[in-house]
Short mmCIF file of all heavy atoms in Angstrom, two decimals:
data_model
loop_
_atom_site.label_atom_id
_atom_site.label_comp_id
_atom_site.label_asym_id
_atom_site.label_seq_id
_atom_site.Cartn_x
_atom_site.Cartn_y
_atom_site.Cartn_z
N MET A 16 75.46 18.58 81.82
CA MET A 16 74.37 19.32 82.42
C MET A 16 73.25 19.51 81.39
O MET A 16 73.48 19.88 80.26
CB MET A 16 74.87 20.68 82.87
CG MET A 16 73.83 21.51 83.55
SD MET A 16 74.58 22.94 84.34
CE MET A 16 73.60 24.20 83.61
N THR A 17 72.03 19.27 81.82
CA THR A 17 70.87 19.42 80.96
C THR A 17 70.21 20.77 81.24
O THR A 17 69.97 21.12 82.38
CB THR A 17 69.85 18.30 81.20
OG1 THR A 17 70.47 17.05 80.97
CG2 THR A 17 68.65 18.45 80.31
N THR A 18 69.95 21.51 80.19
CA THR A 18 69.28 22.80 80.33
C THR A 18 67.80 22.62 80.08
O THR A 18 67.40 22.05 79.07
CB THR A 18 69.85 23.82 79.33
OG1 THR A 18 71.25 23.95 79.55
CG2 THR A 18 69.19 25.17 79.48
N MET A 19 67.00 23.10 81.01
CA MET A 19 65.55 23.02 80.86
C MET A 19 65.09 24.06 79.85
O MET A 19 65.42 25.23 79.97
CB MET A 19 64.88 23.27 82.21
CG MET A 19 63.40 23.33 82.16
SD MET A 19 62.72 21.70 81.83
CE MET A 19 60.99 22.05 81.94
N GLU A 20 64.37 23.61 78.85
CA GLU A 20 63.78 24.51 77.87
C GLU A 20 62.29 24.62 78.15
O GLU A 20 61.63 23.62 78.40
CB GLU A 20 64.00 24.00 76.46
CG GLU A 20 65.43 24.07 75.99
CD GLU A 20 65.56 23.62 74.56
OE1 GLU A 20 65.64 22.40 74.34
OE2 GLU A 20 65.54 24.48 73.68
N ASN A 21 61.77 25.82 78.13
CA ASN A 21 60.35 26.07 78.36
C ASN A 21 59.69 26.48 77.05
O ASN A 21 60.28 27.21 76.25
CB ASN A 21 60.17 27.19 79.38
CG ASN A 21 60.71 26.80 80.73
OD1 ASN A 21 60.26 25.84 81.33
ND2 ASN A 21 61.68 27.54 81.22
N PHE A 22 58.45 26.04 76.89
CA PHE A 22 57.68 26.34 75.68
C PHE A 22 56.27 26.75 76.06
O PHE A 22 55.72 26.27 77.04
CB PHE A 22 57.61 25.12 74.75
CG PHE A 22 58.95 24.70 74.24
CD1 PHE A 22 59.75 23.82 74.95
CD2 PHE A 22 59.43 25.21 73.04
CE1 PHE A 22 61.00 23.45 74.48
CE2 PHE A 22 60.68 24.85 72.56
CZ PHE A 22 61.46 23.97 73.29
N GLY A 23 55.72 27.63 75.27
CA GLY A 23 54.32 28.01 75.38
C GLY A 23 53.65 27.71 74.05
O GLY A 23 54.31 27.34 73.07
N LEU A 24 52.36 27.89 74.02
CA LEU A 24 51.61 27.64 72.79
C LEU A 24 50.77 28.86 72.44
O LEU A 24 50.25 29.54 73.33
CB LEU A 24 50.67 26.44 72.97
CG LEU A 24 51.37 25.09 73.08
CD1 LEU A 24 50.52 24.11 73.85
CD2 LEU A 24 51.66 24.56 71.69
N THR A 25 50.65 29.12 71.16
CA THR A 25 49.68 30.09 70.66
C THR A 25 48.81 29.34 69.66
O THR A 25 49.27 28.41 69.01
CB THR A 25 50.35 31.31 69.99
OG1 THR A 25 51.13 30.87 68.88
CG2 THR A 25 51.23 32.07 70.97
N TRP A 26 47.55 29.74 69.56
CA TRP A 26 46.64 29.09 68.63
C TRP A 26 45.42 29.96 68.40
O TRP A 26 45.22 30.96 69.08
CB TRP A 26 46.22 27.71 69.14
CG TRP A 26 45.34 27.72 70.34
CD1 TRP A 26 43.97 27.67 70.37
CD2 TRP A 26 45.74 27.77 71.71
NE1 TRP A 26 43.51 27.69 71.66
CE2 TRP A 26 44.58 27.75 72.51
CE3 TRP A 26 46.97 27.83 72.35
CZ2 TRP A 26 44.62 27.79 73.90
CZ3 TRP A 26 47.01 27.87 73.74
CH2 TRP A 26 45.85 27.84 74.49
N THR A 27 44.61 29.55 67.45
CA THR A 27 43.33 30.19 67.18
C THR A 27 42.24 29.18 67.42
O THR A 27 42.27 28.08 66.86
CB THR A 27 43.27 30.71 65.72
OG1 THR A 27 44.38 31.60 65.50
CG2 THR A 27 41.97 31.43 65.45
N ASP A 28 41.28 29.54 68.29
CA ASP A 28 40.14 28.67 68.56
C ASP A 28 39.30 28.51 67.30
O ASP A 28 39.38 29.33 66.38
CB ASP A 28 39.25 29.26 69.65
CG ASP A 28 39.76 28.98 71.05
OD1 ASP A 28 40.62 28.11 71.22
OD2 ASP A 28 39.27 29.66 71.98
N ALA A 29 38.44 27.51 67.32
CA ALA A 29 37.55 27.27 66.18
C ALA A 29 36.65 28.48 65.90
O ALA A 29 36.27 28.70 64.75
CB ALA A 29 36.70 26.03 66.45
N ASP A 30 36.38 29.30 66.92
CA ASP A 30 35.53 30.48 66.70
C ASP A 30 36.32 31.70 66.27
O ASP A 30 35.78 32.80 66.14
CB ASP A 30 34.71 30.80 67.96
CG ASP A 30 35.57 31.27 69.13
OD1 ASP A 30 36.81 31.39 68.99
OD2 ASP A 30 35.00 31.53 70.20
N GLY A 31 37.65 31.54 66.07
CA GLY A 31 38.48 32.64 65.57
C GLY A 31 39.18 33.46 66.64
O GLY A 31 39.87 34.43 66.32
N THR A 32 39.04 33.09 67.90
CA THR A 32 39.67 33.82 69.00
C THR A 32 41.13 33.40 69.15
O THR A 32 41.43 32.21 69.26
CB THR A 32 38.93 33.55 70.33
OG1 THR A 32 37.55 33.89 70.17
CG2 THR A 32 39.54 34.35 71.47
N ALA A 33 42.04 34.38 69.16
CA ALA A 33 43.47 34.10 69.37
C ALA A 33 43.70 33.79 70.84
O ALA A 33 43.18 34.48 71.72
CB ALA A 33 44.29 35.30 68.94
N ARG A 34 44.47 32.76 71.10
CA ARG A 34 44.75 32.31 72.47
C ARG A 34 46.24 32.08 72.66
O ARG A 34 46.99 31.93 71.69
CB ARG A 34 44.03 31.00 72.76
CG ARG A 34 42.55 31.01 72.54
CD ARG A 34 41.84 31.54 73.72
NE ARG A 34 40.40 31.43 73.51
CZ ARG A 34 39.52 32.02 74.28
NH1 ARG A 34 39.92 32.73 75.30
NH2 ARG A 34 38.24 31.91 74.02
N ALA A 35 46.64 32.03 73.92
CA ALA A 35 48.02 31.67 74.29
C ALA A 35 47.96 30.89 75.59
O ALA A 35 47.08 31.11 76.43
CB ALA A 35 48.88 32.91 74.45
N SER A 36 48.90 29.98 75.77
CA SER A 36 48.91 29.16 76.98
C SER A 36 49.21 30.00 78.21
O SER A 36 49.95 30.98 78.16
CB SER A 36 49.93 28.03 76.84
OG SER A 36 51.22 28.54 76.58
N ALA A 37 48.63 29.59 79.32
CA ALA A 37 48.84 30.27 80.60
C ALA A 37 49.88 29.54 81.44
O ALA A 37 50.14 29.94 82.57
CB ALA A 37 47.53 30.35 81.37
N VAL A 38 50.45 28.49 80.89
CA VAL A 38 51.50 27.73 81.56
C VAL A 38 52.62 27.44 80.57
O VAL A 38 52.42 27.49 79.36
CB VAL A 38 50.98 26.39 82.14
CG1 VAL A 38 49.91 26.63 83.18
CG2 VAL A 38 50.43 25.49 81.04
N ALA A 39 53.79 27.14 81.10
CA ALA A 39 54.92 26.73 80.26
C ALA A 39 55.02 25.21 80.30
O ALA A 39 54.66 24.58 81.29
CB ALA A 39 56.21 27.37 80.77
N TYR A 40 55.50 24.65 79.22
CA TYR A 40 55.62 23.20 79.08
C TYR A 40 57.05 22.83 78.76
O TYR A 40 57.79 23.63 78.19
CB TYR A 40 54.75 22.70 77.91
CG TYR A 40 53.28 22.96 78.04
CD1 TYR A 40 52.70 24.11 77.52
CD2 TYR A 40 52.45 22.05 78.67
CE1 TYR A 40 51.34 24.35 77.62
CE2 TYR A 40 51.10 22.26 78.78
CZ TYR A 40 50.54 23.42 78.26
OH TYR A 40 49.19 23.64 78.36
N ASP A 41 57.41 21.57 79.04
CA ASP A 41 58.64 21.05 78.46
C ASP A 41 58.29 20.64 77.03
O ASP A 41 57.12 20.69 76.63
CB ASP A 41 59.22 19.89 79.29
CG ASP A 41 58.29 18.68 79.38
OD1 ASP A 41 57.48 18.43 78.46
OD2 ASP A 41 58.38 17.95 80.39
N LYS A 42 59.26 20.28 76.25
CA LYS A 42 59.04 20.00 74.81
C LYS A 42 58.01 18.88 74.60
O LYS A 42 57.08 19.02 73.80
CB LYS A 42 60.37 19.65 74.15
CG LYS A 42 60.28 19.35 72.68
CD LYS A 42 60.39 20.58 71.87
CE LYS A 42 60.48 20.23 70.40
NZ LYS A 42 60.72 21.36 69.57
N VAL A 43 58.17 17.77 75.31
CA VAL A 43 57.27 16.62 75.13
C VAL A 43 55.83 16.98 75.51
O VAL A 43 54.89 16.69 74.78
CB VAL A 43 57.78 15.40 75.93
CG1 VAL A 43 56.77 14.26 75.89
CG2 VAL A 43 59.12 14.94 75.39
N SER A 44 55.66 17.62 76.66
CA SER A 44 54.32 18.02 77.11
C SER A 44 53.70 19.05 76.17
O SER A 44 52.51 19.01 75.90
CB SER A 44 54.38 18.58 78.52
OG SER A 44 54.83 17.59 79.42
N GLY A 45 54.52 19.97 75.68
CA GLY A 45 54.04 20.97 74.73
C GLY A 45 53.55 20.35 73.44
O GLY A 45 52.51 20.74 72.90
N GLU A 46 54.29 19.38 72.93
CA GLU A 46 53.88 18.69 71.69
C GLU A 46 52.58 17.94 71.91
O GLU A 46 51.71 17.91 71.04
CB GLU A 46 54.98 17.73 71.22
CG GLU A 46 56.22 18.43 70.70
CD GLU A 46 56.02 19.12 69.36
OE1 GLU A 46 54.98 18.95 68.71
OE2 GLU A 46 56.94 19.84 68.95
N ARG A 47 52.43 17.33 73.08
CA ARG A 47 51.19 16.60 73.41
C ARG A 47 50.01 17.58 73.48
O ARG A 47 48.94 17.30 72.94
CB ARG A 47 51.37 15.87 74.73
CG ARG A 47 50.22 14.95 75.08
CD ARG A 47 50.46 14.14 76.36
NE ARG A 47 51.73 13.43 76.30
CZ ARG A 47 52.70 13.55 77.23
NH1 ARG A 47 52.54 14.35 78.27
NH2 ARG A 47 53.81 12.87 77.11
N ARG A 48 50.21 18.73 74.12
CA ARG A 48 49.14 19.72 74.23
C ARG A 48 48.79 20.29 72.85
O ARG A 48 47.62 20.52 72.54
CB ARG A 48 49.56 20.85 75.18
CG ARG A 48 48.54 21.92 75.34
CD ARG A 48 47.27 21.42 76.04
NE ARG A 48 46.33 22.54 76.20
CZ ARG A 48 45.05 22.44 75.94
NH1 ARG A 48 44.51 21.30 75.55
NH2 ARG A 48 44.27 23.49 76.10
N LYS A 49 49.81 20.48 72.01
CA LYS A 49 49.58 20.95 70.64
C LYS A 49 48.67 19.98 69.89
O LYS A 49 47.71 20.39 69.24
CB LYS A 49 50.91 21.11 69.91
CG LYS A 49 50.76 21.59 68.50
CD LYS A 49 52.10 21.71 67.80
CE LYS A 49 51.86 22.18 66.37
NZ LYS A 49 52.98 21.96 65.50
N ALA A 50 48.96 18.70 70.01
CA ALA A 50 48.13 17.68 69.34
C ALA A 50 46.70 17.70 69.87
O ALA A 50 45.74 17.58 69.10
CB ALA A 50 48.76 16.30 69.52
N ASP A 51 46.54 17.87 71.18
CA ASP A 51 45.20 17.95 71.78
C ASP A 51 44.43 19.15 71.24
O ASP A 51 43.24 19.04 70.92
CB ASP A 51 45.29 18.06 73.30
CG ASP A 51 45.77 16.79 73.98
OD1 ASP A 51 45.78 15.72 73.33
OD2 ASP A 51 46.15 16.87 75.17
N LEU A 52 45.10 20.29 71.15
CA LEU A 52 44.44 21.49 70.63
C LEU A 52 44.01 21.29 69.18
O LEU A 52 42.88 21.66 68.80
CB LEU A 52 45.36 22.71 70.75
CG LEU A 52 45.55 23.26 72.16
CD1 LEU A 52 46.74 24.21 72.19
CD2 LEU A 52 44.29 23.94 72.63
N GLU A 53 44.90 20.74 68.38
CA GLU A 53 44.56 20.51 66.96
C GLU A 53 43.40 19.53 66.83
O GLU A 53 42.52 19.72 65.98
CB GLU A 53 45.80 20.02 66.21
CG GLU A 53 46.84 21.10 66.05
CD GLU A 53 48.17 20.63 65.50
OE1 GLU A 53 48.52 19.44 65.67
OE2 GLU A 53 48.88 21.46 64.94
N ALA A 54 43.37 18.51 67.68
CA ALA A 54 42.29 17.54 67.64
C ALA A 54 40.95 18.16 68.04
O ALA A 54 39.89 17.71 67.60
CB ALA A 54 42.60 16.36 68.56
N SER A 55 40.99 19.23 68.83
CA SER A 55 39.76 19.89 69.26
C SER A 55 39.30 20.97 68.29
O SER A 55 38.33 21.67 68.56
CB SER A 55 39.93 20.48 70.66
OG SER A 55 40.78 21.60 70.62
N GLY A 56 40.02 21.15 67.17
CA GLY A 56 39.59 22.10 66.15
C GLY A 56 40.36 23.40 66.11
O GLY A 56 40.07 24.27 65.30
N ALA A 57 41.36 23.56 66.99
CA ALA A 57 42.17 24.78 66.97
C ALA A 57 43.06 24.79 65.72
O ALA A 57 43.45 23.74 65.22
CB ALA A 57 43.05 24.85 68.22
N THR A 58 43.34 25.99 65.22
CA THR A 58 44.20 26.13 64.05
C THR A 58 45.40 26.99 64.40
O THR A 58 45.43 27.65 65.44
CB THR A 58 43.43 26.77 62.88
OG1 THR A 58 42.95 28.05 63.28
CG2 THR A 58 42.27 25.90 62.44
N ASP A 59 46.37 27.02 63.51
CA ASP A 59 47.58 27.83 63.69
C ASP A 59 48.24 27.59 65.05
O ASP A 59 48.69 28.52 65.71
CB ASP A 59 47.29 29.33 63.53
CG ASP A 59 46.74 29.66 62.16
OD1 ASP A 59 47.24 29.07 61.18
OD2 ASP A 59 45.82 30.49 62.06
N VAL A 60 48.28 26.33 65.48
CA VAL A 60 48.88 25.99 66.77
C VAL A 60 50.40 26.00 66.61
O VAL A 60 50.94 25.30 65.76
CB VAL A 60 48.40 24.62 67.27
CG1 VAL A 60 48.96 24.34 68.66
CG2 VAL A 60 46.88 24.54 67.27
N VAL A 61 51.07 26.82 67.44
CA VAL A 61 52.51 26.97 67.35
C VAL A 61 53.12 26.79 68.74
O VAL A 61 52.69 27.43 69.70
CB VAL A 61 52.91 28.35 66.79
CG1 VAL A 61 54.41 28.51 66.73
CG2 VAL A 61 52.28 28.57 65.41
N LEU A 62 54.13 25.94 68.82
CA LEU A 62 54.91 25.74 70.04
C LEU A 62 56.06 26.74 69.99
O LEU A 62 56.87 26.70 69.07
CB LEU A 62 55.43 24.31 70.09
CG LEU A 62 56.09 23.83 71.36
CD1 LEU A 62 55.10 23.80 72.51
CD2 LEU A 62 56.67 22.44 71.16
N VAL A 63 56.10 27.66 70.95
CA VAL A 63 57.11 28.72 70.93
C VAL A 63 57.99 28.66 72.17
O VAL A 63 57.49 28.45 73.27
CB VAL A 63 56.46 30.12 70.82
CG1 VAL A 63 55.76 30.29 69.49
CG2 VAL A 63 55.49 30.39 71.94
N PRO A 64 59.30 28.83 72.01
CA PRO A 64 60.18 28.85 73.18
C PRO A 64 59.92 30.12 74.01
O PRO A 64 59.67 31.18 73.45
CB PRO A 64 61.59 28.87 72.59
CG PRO A 64 61.46 29.05 71.13
CD PRO A 64 60.03 28.94 70.76
N VAL A 65 59.93 29.96 75.32
CA VAL A 65 59.76 31.10 76.22
C VAL A 65 60.85 31.04 77.30
O VAL A 65 61.37 29.98 77.61
CB VAL A 65 58.37 31.12 76.89
CG1 VAL A 65 57.28 31.36 75.88
CG2 VAL A 65 58.10 29.85 77.67
N LYS A 66 61.17 32.21 77.83
CA LYS A 66 62.15 32.28 78.91
C LYS A 66 61.43 32.00 80.22
O LYS A 66 60.23 32.27 80.35
CB LYS A 66 62.78 33.67 78.95
CG LYS A 66 63.62 33.95 77.74
CD LYS A 66 64.24 35.33 77.83
CE LYS A 66 64.82 35.70 76.52
NZ LYS A 66 66.10 35.79 76.21
N PRO A 67 62.13 31.47 81.21
CA PRO A 67 61.49 31.22 82.50
C PRO A 67 60.81 32.48 83.03
O PRO A 67 61.35 33.58 82.95
CB PRO A 67 62.66 30.82 83.40
CG PRO A 67 63.67 30.23 82.45
CD PRO A 67 63.53 31.06 81.19
N GLY A 68 59.60 32.33 83.52
CA GLY A 68 58.85 33.44 84.05
C GLY A 68 58.05 34.24 83.04
O GLY A 68 57.37 35.20 83.40
N THR A 69 58.13 33.88 81.76
CA THR A 69 57.38 34.58 80.73
C THR A 69 56.48 33.59 80.00
O THR A 69 56.72 32.40 80.00
CB THR A 69 58.28 35.28 79.69
OG1 THR A 69 59.04 34.28 79.00
CG2 THR A 69 59.21 36.26 80.36
N LEU A 70 55.44 34.13 79.39
CA LEU A 70 54.52 33.33 78.60
C LEU A 70 54.27 34.03 77.28
O LEU A 70 54.42 35.25 77.18
CB LEU A 70 53.20 33.14 79.35
CG LEU A 70 53.29 32.33 80.65
CD1 LEU A 70 51.99 32.43 81.42
CD2 LEU A 70 53.63 30.88 80.34
N PRO A 71 53.84 33.28 76.25
CA PRO A 71 53.58 33.93 74.96
C PRO A 71 52.32 34.77 75.01
O PRO A 71 51.46 34.60 75.86
CB PRO A 71 53.41 32.73 74.01
CG PRO A 71 52.90 31.64 74.90
CD PRO A 71 53.58 31.85 76.23
N GLN A 72 52.23 35.71 74.09
CA GLN A 72 51.05 36.53 73.92
C GLN A 72 50.24 36.00 72.74
O GLN A 72 50.83 35.52 71.77
CB GLN A 72 51.43 37.98 73.65
CG GLN A 72 52.17 38.63 74.82
CD GLN A 72 51.29 38.69 76.07
OE1 GLN A 72 50.16 39.14 76.01
NE2 GLN A 72 51.83 38.22 77.17
N PRO A 73 48.91 36.07 72.80
CA PRO A 73 48.11 35.64 71.65
C PRO A 73 48.48 36.45 70.41
O PRO A 73 48.80 37.63 70.51
CB PRO A 73 46.67 35.96 72.07
CG PRO A 73 46.70 36.09 73.54
CD PRO A 73 48.10 36.56 73.89
N ARG A 74 48.51 35.78 69.27
CA ARG A 74 48.79 36.49 68.01
C ARG A 74 47.55 37.27 67.61
O ARG A 74 46.44 36.84 67.84
CB ARG A 74 49.14 35.49 66.91
CG ARG A 74 50.52 34.89 67.16
CD ARG A 74 50.84 33.84 66.16
NE ARG A 74 49.98 32.69 66.52
CZ ARG A 74 49.75 31.68 65.72
NH1 ARG A 74 50.27 31.64 64.54
NH2 ARG A 74 48.98 30.69 66.11
N THR A 75 47.76 38.40 67.02
CA THR A 75 46.62 39.22 66.60
C THR A 75 46.40 39.10 65.11
O THR A 75 47.22 38.70 64.36
CB THR A 75 46.85 40.69 66.95
OG1 THR A 75 48.07 41.13 66.38
CG2 THR A 75 46.83 40.89 68.44
#
């Protein structure tokens, strides 16, 4: 049996605003989104495990 793992992302925009994803990703999709964010100038991009029905909070 395969267990679905959910991940969210937290990051800091180029203007310094802390952000968090509004959707959950599987590992592969999360890594792809992380790369996209980094390519757009975001910093401190972190892929974090989340429980179903929850999302990460922006870091302060």
Side-chain angles (χ1 to χ4, degrees):
M16 182 168 126
T17 302
T18 302
M19 175 70 176
E20 290 183 277
N21 296 300
F22 296 88
L24 290 154
T25 61
W26 69 94
T27 303
D28 278 345
D30 67 2
T32 304
R34 305 275 185 192
S36 57
V38 299
Y40 299 92
D41 62 29
K42 180 87 172 186
V43 173
S44 297
E46 290 289 352
R47 187 176 307 124
R48 179 66 178 135
K49 180 181 179 197
D51 290 345
L52 287 165
E53 290 171 335
S55 71
T58 59
D59 300 320
V60 184
V61 179
L62 189 65
V63 294
V65 294
K66 293 181 192 251
T69 64
L70 294 170
Q72 296 297 310
R74 288 176 288 165
T75 55

